[in-house]
């Protein structure tokens, strides 16, 4: 059994909560007491049906306002896979939540209402998933029951979305006609849509191939922590602990340590009390080197012929996440892999309209929830790759040094 | 040497383990004074196991803190001591009894021991100057937890403000705090109850034996089966009888109910949970039953 993380975004009207409620119910991830609580609340509010949306609206303030304001994580499992859903609200004022939810997702699920077709909101969701390099996208055409399960409606949306998707980076796209309320094509294939010969949503989630999404070529090992037991039994033990960010590491491999540029060989790789033959993403291991080189937190172990270039001049897409806008000359703290430093905003090149993909070059600041292309200069060299190559070594966060709050998320285009 | 998977894909338990170990190491590297909150329950035991693995062959580089309600199950305290002794970590016990005596918290006879733990815990964190406290909370436990971050910021008063949570992206955790504040860290955020049991089974680690089916003298109160105890005198109309039971969570014994069960092994417990129709908290935790938003209220005040 493996793990699939997927992100959904949507608003009250498009049936997203109903769909998630159904996935949870049908996989028995919802329990009797949770369902009873939701039934009681639905009745007390005078609804005609049990509002499954109440299952996913967690905080009291949200329930009172009837909206989802944050990222909620949900869990369910089938006999073949465990799923983690990052569930986020759909409106433009929650773009930062969508970006957060998409950052760890293997798959993105976008819903459209079959009666309305593609909306600005569904396009925006696809754009954000593509920016965050979520490798698999599912467009669920929902409420097919309300258009009499008409193939023409599905075909029209299919055509329109496929055309739009060519402008984005979506390696794998699946478009599934469903009815979350009636259960058509959610878990089992629908009898109402014999013209559709693809799989049900659940079947697709269970079988989508994610093994090849991770970079298994370019070895990247950001050192997190140096393990030195200083005990009699392990007197000379010195191991570099971290989570593999790319490639496959093996004992005997020649390695290069950045930023120092020293070289050595991997003497052994430890996973707790066992030595292992290879380590790959996202394993957390401890690497021992043959030579007594000076390696510390923030360094990167890679291969001599395949290393990221240390750089202090970074070109990145940034999603701004706080009320006070981002402006040129602003100074912030930056965290990239296990390195922390300071960054100066040199220039804001353009603001990307996430609805139209238009690049607005006249604005020289980024407001809350806006995404733009930014040039930064950092105090420490970042050992980075383009985000399109590696989502771990290509991403960073920006922190307000006064408040300590995370204010921006960055995806590196280029380093020079 | 151990061969790893040929398809370069981790099982869900291996992936969760790798994520949790990453969190432990990140906190140990970035925080001055972390502490692990250890209750002796199954979730905190899994945390201990993950911490053991994260730093092996070195010892866990931080102490463990237990809040002693005075009403803990003796079996749980025994397991706690076994773990602490085997790993050679320092154990700090913050006692609710002492906190009451010293006026840190007030026992008005109506407030549960679980609730009194909050003040006791916050006092211990402040006295020892801990800057990060690992907790065993999981997002699948309860609605209010579903939106909790892995790094959960607490202000000077130890309070959680759900609207002021920091965005948490990729595996880039932001550990910045000001003097007097601390961070709660939840390395098990993405684990479910079933994951925890599968992991305990796979690792073959010790948990308190009250999780397994046994004979116990119990009585019924508010629809829950409570253990007979000197701390929990029966009221009129309540009769004690012996039944075959097990506990699904361990906490203050005056509030923690057991369920009738024949499940005596981990595979039997997993089977039982797989067909169970009530969440673990809903079934057996009196302290969560008072209102739908009970957990959210306690979390705001600084509960685990």
């Amino acid at each position: 059994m493996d793990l699939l993380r997927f992100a959904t975004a949507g608003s009250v009207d498009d049936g997203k909560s109903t769909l998630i409620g159904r996935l949870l119910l049908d996989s028995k991830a919802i329990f009797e007491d949770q369902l009873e609580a939701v039934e009681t609340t639905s009745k007390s509010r005078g609804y005609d049906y049990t509002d499954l949306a109440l299952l996913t609206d967690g905080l009291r303030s949200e329930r009172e306002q009837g909206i989802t304001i944050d990222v909620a994580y949900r869990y369910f499992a089938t006999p073949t896979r465990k799923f983690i859903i990052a569930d986020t609200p759909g409106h433009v004022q929650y773009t930062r939540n969508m970006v957060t939810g998409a950052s760890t997702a293997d798959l993105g699920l976008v819903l459209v209402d079959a009666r309305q077709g593609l909306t600005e909101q569904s396009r925006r969701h696809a754009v954000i998933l593509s920016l965050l390099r979520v490798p698999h996208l599912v467009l669920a055409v929902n409420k097919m029951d309300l258009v009499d399960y008409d193939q023409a409606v599905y075909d029209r949306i299919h055509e329109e979305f496929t055309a739009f998707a060519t402008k984005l980076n979506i390696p794998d796209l699946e478009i599934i006609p469903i009815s979350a309320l009636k259960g058509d094509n959610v878990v089992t294939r629908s009898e109402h849509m014999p013209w559709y010969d693809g799989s049900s949503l659940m079947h697709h989630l269970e079988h989508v191939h994610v093994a090849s999404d991770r970079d298994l070529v370019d070895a990247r090992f950001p050192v997190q922590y140096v393990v030195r037991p200083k005990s009699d039994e392990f007197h000379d033990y010195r191991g570099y602990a971290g989570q593999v960010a790319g490639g496959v590491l093996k004992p005997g491999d020649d390695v290069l340590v950045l930023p120092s540029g020293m070289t050595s060989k991997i003497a052994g790789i430890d996973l707790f009390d066992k030595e292992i033959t290879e380590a790959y993403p996202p394993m957390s291991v401890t690497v021992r080197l043959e030579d007594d080189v000076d390696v510390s937190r923030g360094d990167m172990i890679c291969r001599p012929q395949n290393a990221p270039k240390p750089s202090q001049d970074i070109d990145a897409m940034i999603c701004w996440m706080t009320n006070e806008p981002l402006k040129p000359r602003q100074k912030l703290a930056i965290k990239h892999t296990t390195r922390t430093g300071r960054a100066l905003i040199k220039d804001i090149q353009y603001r990307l309209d996430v609805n139209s993909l238009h690049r607005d070059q006249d604005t020289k600041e980024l407001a809350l929830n806006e995404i733009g292309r930014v040039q930064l200069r950092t105090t420490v060299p970042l050992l980075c790759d383009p985000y399109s190559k590696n989502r771990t070594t290509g991403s960073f966060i920006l922190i307000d040094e006064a408040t300590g709050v995370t204010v921006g998320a960055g995806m590196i285009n280029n380093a020079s | 040497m151990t061969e790893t998977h040929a398809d370069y894909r981790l099982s869900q338990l291996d992936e969760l383990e790798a994520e949790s170990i990453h969190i432990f190491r990140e906190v140990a590297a970035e925080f001055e004074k972390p502490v692990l909150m250890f209750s002796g329950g199954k979730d905190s035991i899994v945390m201990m196991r993950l911490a053991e693995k994260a730093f092996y062959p070195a010892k866990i580089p931080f102490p463990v803190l237990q809040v002693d309600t005075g009403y803990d199950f003796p079996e749980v305290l025994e397991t706690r001591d076994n773990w602490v002794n085997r790993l050679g970590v320092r154990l700090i016990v913050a006692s609710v009894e002492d906190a009451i005596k010293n006026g840190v918290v007030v026992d008005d006879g109506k407030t549960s021991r679980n609730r009194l733990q909050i003040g006791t815990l916050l006092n211990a964190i402040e006295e020892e100057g801990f800057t990060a406290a690992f907790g065993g909370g999981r997002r699948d436990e309860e609605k209010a937890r579903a939106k909790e971050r892995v790094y959960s910021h607490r202000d000077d008063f130890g309070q959680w403000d759900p609207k002021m949570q920091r965005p948490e992206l990729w595996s880039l955790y932001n550990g910045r705090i000001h003097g007097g504040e601390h961070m709660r860290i939840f390395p098990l955020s993405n684990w479910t109850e079933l994951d925890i049991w599968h992991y305990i089974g796979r690792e073959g680690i010790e948990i308190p034996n009250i999780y397994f089916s046994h004979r116990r003298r119990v009585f019924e109160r508010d629809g829950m089966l409570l253990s007979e105890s000197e701390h929990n005198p029966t009221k009129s109309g309540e009769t004690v009888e012996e039944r075959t039971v097990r506990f699904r969570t361990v906490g203050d014994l005056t509030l923690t109910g057991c369920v009738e069960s024949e499940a005596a092994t981990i595979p039997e417990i997993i089977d039982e949970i797989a067909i169970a129709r009530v969440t673990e908290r809903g079934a057996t935790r009196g302290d969560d039953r008072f209102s739908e938003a009970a957990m959210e209220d306690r979390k705001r005040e600084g509960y685990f």
Side-chain angles (χ1 to χ4, degrees), chain B residues 2-73:
Chain B
T2 307
E3 292 280 343
T4 40
H5 308 65
D7 61 352
Y8 299 114
R9 190 75 195 153
L10 296 182
S11 73
Q12 113 270 16
L13 284 185
D14 286 331
E15 190 163 338
L16 291 171
E17 180 186 71
E19 178 181 88
S20 301
I21 287 175
H22 173 83
I23 294 163
F24 273 110
R25 289 169 172 170
E26 206 57 16
V27 171
E30 288 200 318
F31 284 87
E32 218 160 293
K33 261 195 110 174
V35 66
L36 188 150
M37 298 192 286
F38 187 70
S39 68
K42 65 183 193 314
D43 300 314
S44 66
I45 284 172
V46 167
M47 278 210 295
M48 284 286 264
R49 178 62 164 180
L50 293 163
E52 178 187 10
K53 288 191 171 194
F55 304 104
Y56 185 88
K59 280 185 185 172
I60 297 174
F62 38 78
V64 301
L65 170 69
Q66 193 226 349
V67 181
D68 178 3
T69 62
Y71 296 167
D72 293 303
F73 291 96

Side-chain angles (χ1 to χ4, degrees), chain B residues 90-295:
Chain B
R90 183 164 74 99
L91 171 69
I92 301 160
V93 177
S95 147
V96 174
E97 295 283 347
D98 290 350
I100 294 169
K101 268 185 225 145
N102 299 332
V104 173
V105 294
V106 179
D107 184 8
D108 57 7
K110 283 179 281 184
T111 311
S112 79
R113 284 282 161 126
N114 238 330
R115 194 119 191 165
L116 294 177
Q117 281 186 78
I118 300 171
T120 311
L121 173 75
L122 293 177
N123 186 57
I125 287 173
E126 197 173 319
E127 270 188 357
E128 297 264 353
F130 291 122
T131 52
F134 292 102
R138 306 189 318 265
R139 290 183 184 136
D140 81 322
E141 276 179 81
E142 210 274 341
K143 273 200 273 190
R145 284 215 201 266
K147 301 189 177 188
E148 176 100 54
R149 304 293 190 262
V150 172
Y151 276 37
S152 181
H153 181 258
R154 302 302 159 104
D155 66 13
D156 294 10
F157 302 98
Q159 295 180 110
W160 179 61
D161 182 351
K163 284 201 168 163
M164 287 298 290
Q165 294 202 88
R166 295 171 179 181
E168 203 159 69
L169 298 106
W170 298 290
S171 50
L172 290 169
Y173 301 105
N174 173 2
R176 302 244 166 166
I177 49 167
H178 294 108
E181 301 172 345
H182 74 279
M183 200 72 90
R184 291 293 167 82
I185 313 284
F186 298 104
L188 303 180
S189 287
N190 285 325
W191 297 59
T192 61
E193 187 187 10
L194 270 177
D195 294 328
I196 294 286
W197 282 112
H198 281 293
Y199 192 73
I200 290 168
R202 183 182 95 169
E203 300 290 309
I205 48 180
E206 183 195 344
I207 56 168
N209 56 19
I210 62 171
Y211 279 112
F212 300 102
S213 175
H214 58 284
R215 298 288 290 170
R216 178 176 290 265
R217 289 175 59 76
V218 295
F219 62 92
E220 229 177 289
R221 178 178 295 165
D222 304 331
M224 287 195 301
L225 283 182
L226 296 177
S227 186
E228 181 187 44
S229 161
E230 53 174 323
H231 300 303
N232 206 15
T234 49
K235 298 171 188 166
S236 68
E238 294 173 338
T239 49
V240 176
E241 56 182 331
E242 198 177 274
R243 296 207 208 172
T244 303
V245 297
R246 70 175 202 88
F247 288 85
R248 290 181 71 186
T249 64
V250 300
D252 172 346
L253 62 79
T254 65
L255 277 169
T256 306
C258 49
V259 291
E260 296 206 86
S261 169
E262 301 285 340
T265 64
I266 287 168
E268 284 168 12
I269 289 174
I270 290 170
D271 284 348
E272 189 185 277
I273 294 165
I275 56 166
R277 301 306 302 143
V278 181
T279 57
E280 50 183 322
R281 281 191 172 269
T284 59
R285 289 292 273 263
D287 45 331
D288 287 329
R289 293 158 49 119
F290 299 127
S291 85
E292 199 189 354
M295 177 70 119

Side-chain angles (χ1 to χ4, degrees), chain A residues 101-337:
Chain A
S103 72
T104 51
D106 305 303
L107 181 145
L109 176 62
V110 176
L111 273 98
V112 294
D113 183 330
R115 294 170 301 175
Q116 293 178 359
L118 286 192
T119 58
E120 184 180 277
Q121 179 158 301
S122 42
R123 285 195 190 87
R124 184 173 64 249
H125 296 165
V127 167
I128 290 168
L129 291 165
S130 151
L131 266 174
L132 272 290
R133 298 274 169 176
V134 178
H136 306 274
L137 190 132
V138 174
L139 181 75
V141 182
N142 192 23
K143 306 195 183 180
M144 285 302 291
D145 54 316
L146 300 180
V147 295
D148 298 324
Y149 302 105
D150 182 0
Q151 182 178 4
V153 173
Y154 170 80
D155 286 347
R156 202 158 52 235
I157 293 172
H158 190 291
E159 193 181 332
E160 199 186 342
F161 192 80
T162 313
F164 175 68
T166 54
K167 294 186 224 166
L168 308 174
N169 277 298
I170 300 171
D172 173 38
L173 171 64
E174 201 68 34
I175 303 178
I176 306 177
I178 65 165
S179 164
L181 194 68
K182 301 278 170 67
D184 294 284
N185 285 335
V186 175
V187 175
T188 49
R189 291 277 306 276
S190 166
E191 289 167 13
H192 298 111
M193 291 175 271
W195 45 266
Y196 171 73
D197 57 9
S199 46
S200 72
L201 175 62
M202 185 73 102
H203 186 271
H204 182 68
L205 293 174
E206 280 185 303
H207 294 94
V208 63
H209 184 67
V210 289
S212 50
D213 296 339
R214 286 178 173 129
D215 178 0
L216 294 172
V217 176
D218 309 298
R220 300 287 186 264
F221 187 74
V223 175
Q224 232 192 323
Y225 189 87
V226 182
V227 178
R228 295 206 60 192
K230 297 173 192 161
S231 62
D232 292 339
E233 194 186 345
F234 297 97
H235 192 266
D236 295 321
Y237 188 98
R238 188 183 177 90
Y240 306 108
Q243 189 165 23
V244 184
V248 181
L249 305 174
K250 295 184 175 117
D253 281 354
D254 289 312
V255 292
L256 170 72
V257 182
L258 290 177
S260 70
M262 288 182 293
T263 54
S264 184
K265 259 185 203 313
I266 295 180
I269 304 172
D270 298 329
L271 185 65
F272 185 39
D273 57 357
K274 290 188 178 65
E275 276 196 65
I276 56 173
T277 54
E278 50 189 359
Y280 48 89
M283 291 171 76
S284 281
V285 296
T286 304
V287 172
R288 284 174 287 112
L289 299 181
E290 284 188 357
D291 305 283
D292 196 12
V293 291
D294 182 30
V295 181
S296 53
R297 176 177 166 84
D299 291 357
M300 172 93 74
I301 295 174
C302 49
R303 304 295 303 273
Q305 307 305 326
N306 179 347
K309 199 172 128 209
S311 173
Q312 290 174 258
D313 290 293
I314 308 294
D315 171 37
M317 298 303 288
I318 286 177
C319 174
W320 193 244
M321 302 184 144
T322 195
N323 290 319
E324 195 62 31
L326 176 72
K327 290 177 182 152
R329 308 303 304 164
Q330 201 166 327
K331 291 186 182 113
L332 296 148
I334 185 168
K335 187 173 181 186
H336 170 263
T337 65

Side-chain angles (χ1 to χ4, degrees), chain B residues 74-90:
Chain B
E75 296 90 338
V76 173
L77 299 179
E78 192 187 315
T79 304
R80 174 198 74 188
D81 292 341
N82 290 344
W83 270 91
V84 164
N85 292 335
R86 185 173 72 75
L87 297 180
V89 289
R90 183 164 74 99

